[in-house]
Amino acid sequence: MTTPPAPHPSPETLLSQVATALGHPVAPPWADAVRAVPRDRFLPDRIWLRDGAGGYAPCDRAVDPERWGEAAFSDVPLVTQIREDADGFREPTSSASAPGTVLRMLEEAGIADGQRVLEIGTGTGYHAALLAHRLGDGLVVSVEVDPVLADTARANLKGAGRTPTVVTGDGALGHAAAAPYDRIIATCSVRAVPAAWLAQTLPGARLIVPWSTSWITYGTLVLTRRADGTADGRFAGYGSYMTMRGQRAESDLDRDLLRDGQRPCRSETALSPWAVAGEDLDAQFAVGLRVPDVWHSWDTATDQAHTRLWLADDAAASWASVDYDGRQTARFPVRQHGPRRLWDEVAAAHRQWVRAGEPRVAGHGLTVTAEGHRVQVQGRRSPPEQPSAP
């Protein structure tokens, strides 16, 4: 008996994968949009896929069309733009989000007919095309800071028969000319909700905003704009997007912080560095919310320890390190230098999270006012989030 050929990747393949990720079938209006807006039309001929070694390798449509097509109709994020430095390090500068994450955000937005939507971060134009199919071109505005990406998105949209407004500009400023909006959806993460977004929305408007701290880029904020111009809402445990360009930190450990002759304060800790910077995203998220402007990186190349966790602040004024010797896990040597004792701050944040019952990402809320952001903790670590209904 002849084995039938494997089905060619298509929007139906993608919808099946997304339904599995969501835990329920894609709602009909969005399923229709996915069928009408094939993802492959919004991807460049060269995309970049994970190489299995922590980096990225090119995948060219002309060279390997089968692999390229499989990636295009898979529920995975795809890097579409790379910046390579003099040492050969490849840093993604733009990507096509995983469709499952995109559709989850669209569900969170609760979009209805006749609503005006502002998208922050046009990218390839795929997300804007889904919105335009659902609402009509005239109700969708998308802002892209990169002129090249904006031009590419306009061409992609035109090729798919869609003509939403694509503005080249700073997404943090929104687009006042077409305001007010009923919904704002960002496809880049932020560390603070820009004031312009609240100023350009109607009372009751919903904002879907991927979140970022210096410690971790993870979580999605679902906000409702109030009549007094403030907003409040909750976090959801999904979403990892590149940080908005104007909110990225530029400090570098070797270049800006480490100096000969420094005399760091030495101590020991019983708190494992993996407890705050390991695979527990709930713990990392909690630390990021509670310890502002501090980032971390792992180092396995140092001769002084088996593994070292580095901490540094965005101001390039303080650093800390926590060492693992490869043998015992009861105590870890700590060094701290600068006006802030960064490891002490992180350890205190972890204790606060534990005392609160180790709440998940969704156990945190946020209120946005003219004075800034206020975090609320809603309780103990709850069961895993259930997918929302379509």
Side-chain angles (χ1 to χ4, degrees), residues 81-355:
Q81 190 180 73
I82 284 278
R83 179 173 59 224
E84 188 168 344
D85 64 20
D87 298 323
F89 175 75
R90 292 169 174 169
E91 178 188 12
T93 55
S94 186
S95 65
S97 304
T101 302
V102 169
L103 288 162
R104 190 181 295 277
M105 292 173 70
L106 292 171
E107 285 186 352
E108 296 274 16
I111 291 171
D113 292 345
Q115 290 182 334
R116 181 176 295 277
V117 178
L118 173 65
E119 178 194 39
I120 307 298
T122 316
T124 66
Y126 178 67
H127 192 268
L130 295 176
L131 286 166
H133 182 273
R134 173 71 175 82
L135 295 170
D137 295 326
L139 291 176
V140 179
V141 176
S142 186
V143 181
E144 173 56 55
V145 69
D146 186 320
V148 174
L149 288 179
D151 287 343
T152 300
R154 292 186 189 99
N156 290 341
L157 287 159
K158 183 178 180 181
R162 307 269 29 140
T163 57
T165 299
V166 177
V167 178
T168 304
D170 183 353
L173 302 178
H175 184 60
Y181 302 98
D182 301 284
R183 297 290 186 269
I184 291 182
I185 303 176
T187 62
C188 55
S189 65
V190 301
R191 297 180 179 179
V193 177
W197 296 2
L198 296 182
Q200 293 174 22
T201 47
L202 292 164
R206 191 173 293 184
L207 295 83
I208 311 299
V209 184
W211 194 251
S212 176
T213 62
S214 297
W215 194 262
I216 185 174
T217 299
Y218 181 67
T220 298
L221 180 59
V222 182
L223 283 174
T224 299
R225 200 267 212 190
R226 303 304 180 191
D228 62 0
T230 66
D232 55 40
R234 60 177 176 80
F235 287 99
Y238 70 89
S240 181
Y241 284 78
M242 295 179 187
T243 305
M244 179 179 286
R245 291 192 185 184
Q247 296 188 9
R248 296 175 189 173
E250 301 295 338
S251 61
D252 179 86
L253 188 69
D254 292 328
R255 181 194 66 208
D256 300 327
L257 281 152
L258 299 182
R259 297 283 186 272
D260 292 337
Q262 290 177 339
R263 293 178 175 271
C265 176
R266 297 178 182 269
S267 61
E268 286 189 333
T269 182
L271 178 62
S272 167
W274 283 275
V276 295
E279 295 182 358
D280 191 334
L281 296 180
D282 295 317
Q284 285 213 51
F285 181 85
V287 169
L289 280 182
R290 291 163 174 79
V291 184
D293 308 324
V294 176
W295 53 272
H296 70 277
S297 64
W298 289 98
D299 186 358
T300 57
T302 177
D303 296 331
Q304 300 155 356
H306 178 280
T307 304
R308 173 172 288 170
L309 177 67
W310 286 106
L311 293 74
D313 66 352
D314 292 343
S318 302
W319 62 264
S321 66
V322 185
D323 288 352
Y324 167 58
D325 63 8
R327 297 184 301 276
Q328 63 88 29
T329 57
R331 307 290 297 180
F332 302 89
V334 176
R335 297 183 303 158
Q336 302 186 86
H337 181 77
R340 295 176 66 179
R341 293 294 183 254
L342 300 184
W343 179 252
D344 292 348
E345 292 184 31
V346 167
H350 186 265
R351 287 194 299 272
Q352 291 173 5
W353 177 67
V354 171
R355 284 197 298 266

